[in-house]
Coordinates of all heavy atoms in Angstrom, one line a residue:
M1 N 135.4 51.9 -118.4 CA 136.0 52.4 -117.2 C 137.5 52.7 -117.3 O 138.2 51.9 -117.8 CB 135.7 51.3 -116.1 CG 136.2 51.6 -114.7 SD 136.1 50.2 -113.6 CE 134.3 50.1 -113.4
K2 N 137.9 53.9 -116.8 CA 139.3 54.2 -116.8 C 140.0 53.7 -115.6 O 139.4 53.8 -114.5 CB 139.5 55.8 -116.9 CG 138.8 56.4 -118.1 CD 139.7 56.3 -119.3 CE 139.1 57.1 -120.5 NZ 139.7 56.7 -121.8
C3 N 141.3 53.3 -115.7 CA 142.1 52.9 -114.6 C 142.3 54.2 -113.7 O 142.8 55.2 -114.2 CB 143.4 52.3 -115.1 SG 144.5 52.0 -113.7
P4 N 142.0 54.1 -112.4 CA 142.2 55.2 -111.5 C 143.7 55.5 -111.3 O 144.0 56.6 -110.7 CB 141.5 54.9 -110.3 CG 141.4 53.4 -110.3 CD 141.4 53.0 -111.7
F5 N 144.6 54.6 -111.6 CA 146.0 54.8 -111.4 C 146.7 55.4 -112.6 O 147.6 56.3 -112.4 CB 146.6 53.4 -111.0 CG 146.0 52.8 -109.8 CD1 145.0 51.9 -109.9 CD2 146.3 53.2 -108.5 CE1 144.4 51.3 -108.8 CE2 145.7 52.7 -107.4 CZ 144.7 51.8 -107.5
C6 N 146.4 55.0 -113.8 CA 147.1 55.5 -115.0 C 146.3 56.1 -116.0 O 146.8 56.7 -116.9 CB 148.0 54.3 -115.6 SG 147.0 53.1 -116.5
G7 N 144.9 56.0 -115.9 CA 144.0 56.6 -116.9 C 143.8 55.8 -118.1 O 143.0 56.2 -119.0
E8 N 144.4 54.6 -118.3 CA 144.2 53.8 -119.4 C 142.8 53.2 -119.3 O 142.2 53.0 -118.2 CB 145.2 52.6 -119.5 CG 146.6 53.0 -119.8 CD 146.8 53.1 -121.3 OE1 146.4 52.2 -122.1 OE2 147.3 54.1 -121.8
E9 N 142.2 52.8 -120.5 CA 140.9 52.1 -120.5 C 141.1 50.7 -119.9 O 142.0 50.0 -120.3 CB 140.4 52.0 -121.9 CG 138.9 51.6 -122.0 CD 137.9 52.5 -121.4 OE1 138.2 53.8 -121.4 OE2 136.9 52.0 -120.8
M10 N 140.3 50.4 -118.9 CA 140.4 49.0 -118.3 C 139.7 48.0 -119.2 O 138.8 48.3 -120.0 CB 139.8 49.0 -116.9 CG 140.4 50.0 -116.0 SD 139.9 49.8 -114.3 CE 141.0 48.6 -113.7
E11 N 140.1 46.7 -119.1 CA 139.5 45.7 -119.8 C 138.4 45.0 -119.0 O 138.6 44.6 -117.8 CB 140.5 44.6 -120.2 CG 141.6 45.2 -121.1 CD 142.6 44.1 -121.5 OE1 142.2 43.0 -121.8 OE2 143.8 44.4 -121.5
S12 N 137.2 44.9 -119.5 CA 136.1 44.3 -118.8 C 136.2 42.7 -118.9 O 136.6 42.2 -119.9 CB 134.8 44.7 -119.5 OG 134.6 46.1 -119.4
G13 N 135.7 42.1 -117.9 CA 135.7 40.7 -117.8 C 135.2 40.2 -116.5 O 134.4 40.9 -115.9
M14 N 135.5 38.9 -116.2 CA 135.0 38.4 -115.0 C 136.0 37.4 -114.4 O 136.9 37.0 -115.1 CB 133.7 37.6 -115.2 CG 133.8 36.3 -116.0 SD 132.3 35.4 -116.1 CE 132.8 34.1 -117.1
I15 N 135.9 37.2 -113.1 CA 136.7 36.2 -112.4 C 135.9 35.0 -112.1 O 134.7 35.1 -111.6 CB 137.3 36.8 -111.1 CG1 138.4 37.8 -111.5 CG2 137.9 35.7 -110.2 CD1 139.0 38.5 -110.3
I16 N 136.4 33.8 -112.4 CA 135.7 32.6 -112.2 C 136.7 31.6 -111.6 O 137.8 31.6 -112.0 CB 135.0 32.1 -113.5 CG1 134.1 30.9 -113.2 CG2 136.0 31.8 -114.6 CD1 133.1 30.6 -114.4
T17 N 136.2 30.7 -110.7 CA 137.1 29.7 -110.2 C 137.4 28.6 -111.2 O 136.5 28.3 -112.0 CB 136.6 29.1 -108.9 OG1 135.4 28.4 -109.2 CG2 136.3 30.1 -107.8
M18 N 138.6 28.1 -111.2 CA 138.9 27.0 -112.1 C 139.3 25.8 -111.3 O 140.3 25.2 -111.4 CB 140.1 27.4 -113.0 CG 139.8 28.6 -113.9 SD 141.2 29.0 -114.9 CE 141.1 27.8 -116.2
R19 N 138.3 25.4 -110.4 CA 138.4 24.3 -109.5 C 139.8 24.3 -108.8 O 140.1 25.2 -108.1 CB 138.2 23.0 -110.3 CG 136.8 23.0 -110.8 CD 136.4 21.6 -111.5 NE 135.1 21.6 -112.1 CZ 134.0 21.3 -111.5 NH1 134.0 20.9 -110.2 NH2 132.8 21.4 -112.1
D20 N 140.6 23.3 -109.0 CA 141.8 23.1 -108.3 C 143.0 24.0 -108.8 O 144.1 23.9 -108.3 CB 142.2 21.7 -108.2 CG 142.5 21.0 -109.5 OD1 141.9 21.5 -110.5 OD2 143.2 20.1 -109.6
I21 N 142.8 24.7 -109.9 CA 143.8 25.5 -110.5 C 144.0 26.9 -109.9 O 145.1 27.4 -109.6 CB 143.6 25.6 -112.0 CG1 143.6 24.2 -112.6 CG2 144.7 26.5 -112.7 CD1 143.2 24.2 -114.1
G22 N 142.9 27.5 -109.6 CA 142.9 28.9 -109.1 C 141.7 29.7 -109.7 O 140.7 29.2 -110.1
F23 N 141.9 31.0 -109.7 CA 140.9 31.9 -110.3 C 141.4 32.4 -111.7 O 142.5 32.7 -111.9 CB 140.7 33.2 -109.5 CG 140.1 32.9 -108.1 CD1 140.9 32.7 -107.0 CD2 138.7 32.8 -108.0 CE1 140.4 32.5 -105.7 CE2 138.2 32.5 -106.7 CZ 139.0 32.4 -105.6
A24 N 140.4 32.4 -112.6 CA 140.7 32.9 -114.0 C 140.1 34.2 -114.2 O 138.9 34.4 -113.8 CB 140.3 31.9 -115.0
W25 N 140.8 35.2 -114.7 CA 140.1 36.4 -115.2 C 139.9 36.2 -116.7 O 140.9 35.9 -117.4 CB 141.0 37.7 -115.0 CG 140.3 38.9 -115.6 CD1 139.3 39.6 -115.0 CD2 140.5 39.4 -116.9 NE1 138.9 40.6 -115.8 CE2 139.6 40.5 -117.0 CE3 141.3 39.1 -118.0 CZ2 139.5 41.3 -118.1 CZ3 141.2 39.9 -119.1 CH2 140.3 40.9 -119.2
I26 N 138.7 36.3 -117.1 CA 138.3 36.0 -118.5 C 137.7 37.3 -119.2 O 136.9 37.9 -118.6 CB 137.3 34.9 -118.6 CG1 137.9 33.6 -118.0 CG2 136.8 34.6 -120.0 CD1 136.9 32.5 -117.8
P27 N 138.2 37.6 -120.4 CA 137.7 38.8 -121.0 C 136.2 38.7 -121.3 O 135.7 37.6 -121.5 CB 138.5 38.8 -122.4 CG 139.7 38.0 -122.1 CD 139.3 37.0 -121.1
E28 N 135.5 39.9 -121.3 CA 134.1 39.9 -121.5 C 133.7 39.2 -122.8 O 134.4 39.4 -123.8 CB 133.7 41.4 -121.6 CG 132.2 41.6 -121.6 CD 131.8 43.1 -121.4 OE1 132.6 44.0 -121.7 OE2 130.6 43.3 -121.0
G29 N 132.7 38.4 -122.7 CA 132.2 37.7 -123.9 C 132.8 36.4 -124.1 O 132.4 35.6 -125.0
K30 N 133.8 36.0 -123.3 CA 134.5 34.7 -123.5 C 134.0 33.8 -122.4 O 133.5 34.2 -121.4 CB 136.0 34.9 -123.3 CG 136.7 35.9 -124.3 CD 136.9 35.2 -125.6 CE 137.7 36.2 -126.5 NZ 137.9 35.6 -127.8
K31 N 134.2 32.5 -122.7 CA 133.8 31.4 -121.7 C 135.0 30.7 -121.2 O 136.1 30.8 -121.8 CB 132.8 30.4 -122.4 CG 131.5 31.0 -122.8 CD 130.6 30.0 -123.5 CE 129.2 30.6 -123.8 NZ 128.4 29.8 -124.5
L32 N 134.8 30.1 -120.1 CA 135.9 29.3 -119.5 C 136.5 28.3 -120.5 O 135.7 27.6 -121.1 CB 135.4 28.5 -118.3 CG 136.4 28.0 -117.3 CD1 137.1 29.1 -116.6 CD2 135.7 27.1 -116.3
P33 N 137.8 28.4 -120.8 CA 138.4 27.5 -121.8 C 138.4 26.1 -121.5 O 138.4 25.7 -120.3 CB 139.8 28.0 -121.9 CG 140.1 28.7 -120.6 CD 138.8 29.2 -120.1
L34 N 138.3 25.2 -122.5 CA 138.3 23.8 -122.3 C 139.6 23.3 -121.8 O 139.7 22.4 -121.0 CB 137.9 23.0 -123.6 CG 136.5 23.3 -124.1 CD1 136.3 22.6 -125.5 CD2 135.5 22.7 -123.1
V35 N 140.7 23.8 -122.4 CA 142.1 23.5 -121.9 C 142.5 24.7 -121.1 O 142.9 25.7 -121.6 CB 143.0 23.3 -123.1 CG1 144.4 22.9 -122.6 CG2 142.4 22.3 -124.1
P36 N 142.4 24.6 -119.7 CA 142.4 25.8 -118.9 C 143.6 26.7 -119.1 O 143.4 27.9 -119.5 CB 142.5 25.2 -117.5 CG 141.8 23.9 -117.6 CD 142.1 23.4 -119.0
L37 N 144.8 26.3 -118.9 CA 145.9 27.3 -118.9 C 146.3 27.7 -120.3 O 146.5 28.9 -120.6 CB 147.2 26.7 -118.2 CG 147.0 26.4 -116.7 CD1 148.2 25.8 -116.1 CD2 146.6 27.7 -116.0
V38 N 146.3 26.8 -121.3 CA 146.6 27.2 -122.7 C 145.5 28.1 -123.2 O 145.7 29.1 -123.8 CB 146.8 25.9 -123.6 CG1 147.0 26.3 -125.0 CG2 147.9 25.1 -123.1
G39 N 144.2 27.7 -123.0 CA 143.1 28.4 -123.5 C 143.0 29.8 -122.9 O 142.7 30.8 -123.6
L40 N 143.3 29.9 -121.7 CA 143.2 31.2 -120.9 C 144.2 32.2 -121.5 O 143.9 33.3 -121.8 CB 143.5 30.9 -119.5 CG 143.2 32.1 -118.5 CD1 141.7 32.5 -118.5 CD2 143.6 31.7 -117.1
K41 N 145.4 31.7 -121.8 CA 146.5 32.6 -122.3 C 146.1 33.0 -123.7 O 146.2 34.2 -124.1 CB 147.8 31.8 -122.3 CG 149.0 32.6 -122.6 CD 150.3 31.9 -122.4 CE 151.5 32.8 -122.5 NZ 152.7 32.0 -122.4
K42 N 145.5 32.1 -124.6 CA 145.2 32.4 -125.9 C 144.1 33.5 -126.0 O 144.1 34.3 -126.9 CB 144.6 31.2 -126.7 CG 145.7 30.3 -127.2 CD 145.1 29.2 -128.0 CE 146.2 28.2 -128.5 NZ 145.5 27.0 -129.1
M43 N 143.2 33.5 -125.1 CA 142.1 34.5 -125.1 C 142.4 35.8 -124.4 O 141.6 36.7 -124.3 CB 140.8 33.9 -124.5 CG 140.9 33.7 -123.0 SD 139.3 33.2 -122.2 CE 138.8 31.7 -123.1
G44 N 143.7 35.9 -123.9 CA 144.1 37.1 -123.2 C 143.7 37.2 -121.8 O 143.6 38.3 -121.2
G45 N 143.4 36.1 -121.2 CA 143.0 36.0 -119.8 C 144.2 35.9 -118.9 O 145.3 36.0 -119.3
M46 N 143.9 35.9 -117.6 CA 145.0 35.8 -116.6 C 144.6 34.8 -115.5 O 143.5 34.7 -115.1 CB 145.2 37.2 -115.9 CG 145.8 38.2 -116.8 SD 145.8 39.8 -115.9 CE 147.1 39.5 -114.7
L47 N 145.6 34.1 -114.9 CA 145.4 33.2 -113.8 C 145.7 34.0 -112.5 O 146.8 34.6 -112.4 CB 146.3 32.0 -113.9 CG 146.0 30.9 -112.9 CD1 144.6 30.3 -113.0 CD2 147.1 29.8 -113.0
L48 N 144.8 33.9 -111.6 CA 145.0 34.6 -110.3 C 144.7 33.7 -109.1 O 143.9 32.7 -109.3 CB 143.9 35.8 -110.2 CG 143.8 36.7 -111.3 CD1 142.5 37.5 -111.2 CD2 144.9 37.6 -111.4
G49 N 145.4 33.9 -108.0 CA 145.1 33.2 -106.8 C 145.5 31.7 -106.8 O 146.3 31.3 -107.6
E50 N 144.8 31.0 -105.9 CA 145.2 29.6 -105.7 C 143.9 28.7 -105.7 O 142.8 29.2 -105.8 CB 145.9 29.5 -104.4 CG 147.2 30.2 -104.4 CD 147.8 30.2 -103.0 OE1 147.3 29.6 -102.1 OE2 148.9 30.9 -102.8
S51 N 144.1 27.5 -105.4 CA 143.0 26.5 -105.3 C 141.9 26.9 -104.4 O 142.1 27.5 -103.3 CB 143.6 25.2 -104.8 OG 142.5 24.3 -104.6
T52 N 140.6 26.7 -104.8 CA 139.5 27.0 -104.0 C 138.5 25.9 -103.8 O 137.5 26.0 -103.2 CB 138.7 28.1 -104.7 OG1 138.3 27.7 -106.0 CG2 139.5 29.4 -104.8
G53 N 138.9 24.7 -104.2 CA 138.0 23.5 -104.0 C 137.1 23.3 -105.3 O 137.5 23.6 -106.4
F54 N 135.9 22.7 -105.1 CA 135.2 22.2 -106.2 C 134.0 23.1 -106.6 O 133.4 22.8 -107.6 CB 134.7 20.8 -105.9 CG 135.8 19.8 -105.8 CD1 136.3 19.5 -104.5 CD2 136.4 19.3 -106.9 CE1 137.4 18.6 -104.4 CE2 137.5 18.5 -106.8 CZ 138.0 18.1 -105.5
T55 N 133.7 24.1 -105.9 CA 132.5 24.9 -106.3 C 133.0 26.1 -107.1 O 134.2 26.5 -106.9 CB 131.7 25.4 -105.1 OG1 132.6 26.1 -104.3 CG2 131.1 24.2 -104.4
R56 N 132.2 26.6 -108.0 CA 132.6 27.8 -108.8 C 131.7 28.9 -108.6 O 130.5 28.8 -108.5 CB 132.5 27.4 -110.3 CG 133.6 26.5 -110.7 CD 133.6 26.3 -112.2 NE 134.7 25.4 -112.6 CZ 134.8 24.8 -113.7 NH1 134.0 25.1 -114.7 NH2 135.8 24.0 -114.0
A57 N 132.3 30.1 -108.4 CA 131.5 31.3 -108.3 C 132.2 32.3 -109.3 O 133.3 32.1 -109.7 CB 131.6 31.9 -106.9
K58 N 131.5 33.3 -109.7 CA 132.1 34.3 -110.6 C 131.8 35.7 -110.1 O 130.9 36.0 -109.4 CB 131.7 34.1 -112.1 CG 130.2 34.5 -112.3 CD 129.9 34.4 -113.8 CE 128.5 34.9 -114.0 NZ 128.2 35.0 -115.4
L59 N 132.7 36.6 -110.6 CA 132.6 38.0 -110.2 C 133.0 38.9 -111.3 O 134.1 38.7 -111.9 CB 133.6 38.2 -109.0 CG 133.8 39.6 -108.4 CD1 132.5 40.1 -107.8 CD2 134.9 39.6 -107.4
D60 N 132.2 39.9 -111.7 CA 132.6 40.9 -112.7 C 133.7 41.7 -112.2 O 133.7 42.1 -111.1 CB 131.4 41.8 -113.1 CG 130.3 41.1 -113.8 OD1 130.5 40.0 -114.4 OD2 129.1 41.5 -113.7
F61 N 134.7 41.8 -113.1 CA 136.0 42.4 -112.7 C 136.7 43.0 -113.8 O 136.9 42.4 -114.8 CB 136.9 41.3 -112.1 CG 137.9 41.7 -111.1 CD1 137.7 42.0 -109.8 CD2 139.2 41.9 -111.6 CE1 138.7 42.4 -108.9 CE2 140.2 42.2 -110.7 CZ 140.0 42.5 -109.4
N62 N 137.1 44.3 -113.7 CA 137.8 45.0 -114.7 C 139.3 45.1 -114.4 O 139.6 45.3 -113.2 CB 137.3 46.4 -114.9 CG 135.9 46.5 -115.4 OD1 135.4 45.5 -116.0 ND2 135.2 47.5 -115.1
I63 N 140.2 44.9 -115.4 CA 141.6 45.0 -115.1 C 142.3 46.0 -115.9 O 141.9 46.3 -117.0 CB 142.3 43.6 -115.3 CG1 142.2 43.1 -116.7 CG2 141.6 42.5 -114.4 CD1 143.1 42.0 -117.0
C64 N 143.5 46.5 -115.4 CA 144.4 47.3 -116.2 C 145.7 46.4 -116.2 O 146.4 46.3 -115.2 CB 144.7 48.6 -115.5 SG 145.9 49.6 -116.4
K65 N 146.1 45.9 -117.4 CA 147.3 45.1 -117.5 C 148.5 45.9 -117.4 O 149.6 45.4 -117.0 CB 147.2 44.3 -118.8 CG 146.2 43.2 -118.8 CD 146.2 42.4 -120.1 CE 145.1 41.3 -120.0 NZ 144.9 40.7 -121.3
K66 N 148.4 47.2 -117.7 CA 149.6 48.1 -117.5 C 150.0 48.3 -116.1 O 151.2 48.2 -115.7 CB 149.2 49.5 -118.1 CG 150.4 50.5 -118.2 CD 149.9 51.8 -118.8 CE 150.9 52.9 -118.7 NZ 150.4 54.1 -119.2
C67 N 149.0 48.4 -115.2 CA 149.3 48.6 -113.7 C 149.2 47.3 -113.0 O 149.6 47.3 -111.8 CB 148.3 49.6 -113.1 SG 148.4 51.2 -113.7
N68 N 148.7 46.3 -113.6 CA 148.5 45.0 -112.9 C 147.6 45.2 -111.7 O 147.8 44.6 -110.7 CB 149.8 44.4 -112.5 CG 149.7 42.9 -112.4 OD1 148.9 42.2 -113.1 ND2 150.5 42.3 -111.5
K69 N 146.5 46.0 -111.9 CA 145.5 46.2 -110.9 C 144.1 45.9 -111.5 O 143.9 46.0 -112.7 CB 145.6 47.6 -110.4 CG 146.9 48.0 -109.7 CD 146.9 49.4 -109.2 CE 148.2 49.9 -108.7 NZ 148.7 49.1 -107.6
G70 N 143.2 45.7 -110.6 CA 141.8 45.4 -111.0 C 140.8 46.0 -110.1 O 141.1 46.2 -108.9
I71 N 139.5 46.2 -110.6 CA 138.4 46.7 -109.8 C 137.2 45.8 -110.0 O 136.8 45.6 -111.2 CB 138.1 48.1 -110.2 CG1 139.3 49.0 -109.9 CG2 136.9 48.7 -109.5 CD1 139.2 50.4 -110.4
S72 N 136.6 45.4 -109.0 CA 135.3 44.7 -109.0 C 134.2 45.6 -109.2 O 134.2 46.7 -108.7 CB 135.1 43.9 -107.8 OG 133.9 43.3 -107.8
S73 N 133.2 45.2 -110.0 CA 131.9 46.0 -110.1 C 130.8 45.3 -109.5 O 130.0 44.6 -110.1 CB 131.6 46.3 -111.6 OG 131.8 45.1 -112.4
L74 N 130.8 45.3 -108.1 CA 129.8 44.6 -107.4 C 128.4 45.1 -107.6 O 128.2 46.3 -107.7 CB 130.2 44.7 -105.8 CG 131.4 44.0 -105.4 CD1 131.7 44.3 -104.0 CD2 131.3 42.5 -105.6
Ligands
ZN1 ZN1 146.4 51.4 -115.0

């Protein structure tokens, strides 16, 4: 998928809640890291949002790191 703003190829991944930390964007094929913030940075992920409580949901989501924008593929 191309970024509609700059035309760069977007990175595929998903958004998953990280309990009391916030939402994590995780590159496609990766799993939630055992050490949340350090592991997320190492795998090229991003931390988004704020605390959501104790349940976890996920959402497929492509990002363009150049524009700092993302698109959900619902
Ligand atoms: Zn872009």
Side-chain angles (χ1 to χ4, degrees):
M1 180 186 292
K2 299 278 187 200
C3 173
F5 301 96
C6 73
E8 288 278 311
E9 192 62 33
M10 298 187 89
E11 296 182 44
S12 300
M14 68 176 177
I15 288 178
I16 187 166
T17 64
M18 296 180 81
R19 297 186 185 271
D20 59 335
I21 298 171
F23 293 96
W25 178 84
I26 297 174
E28 191 171 19
K30 302 280 187 183
K31 292 181 178 174
L32 197 65
L34 293 176
V35 183
L37 296 179
V38 176
L40 191 62
K41 194 172 184 180
K42 277 186 184 171
M43 69 169 62
M46 292 174 70
L47 184 65
L48 310 166
E50 297 174 2
S51 174
T52 59
F54 294 100
T55 57
R56 287 187 182 169
K58 66 174 188 174
L59 173 67
D60 291 336
F61 201 83
N62 296 336
I63 65 165
C64 177
K65 288 180 179 171
K66 185 177 169 186
C67 296
N68 205 29
K69 295 181 188 301
I71 297 173
S72 170
S73 45
L74 292 173

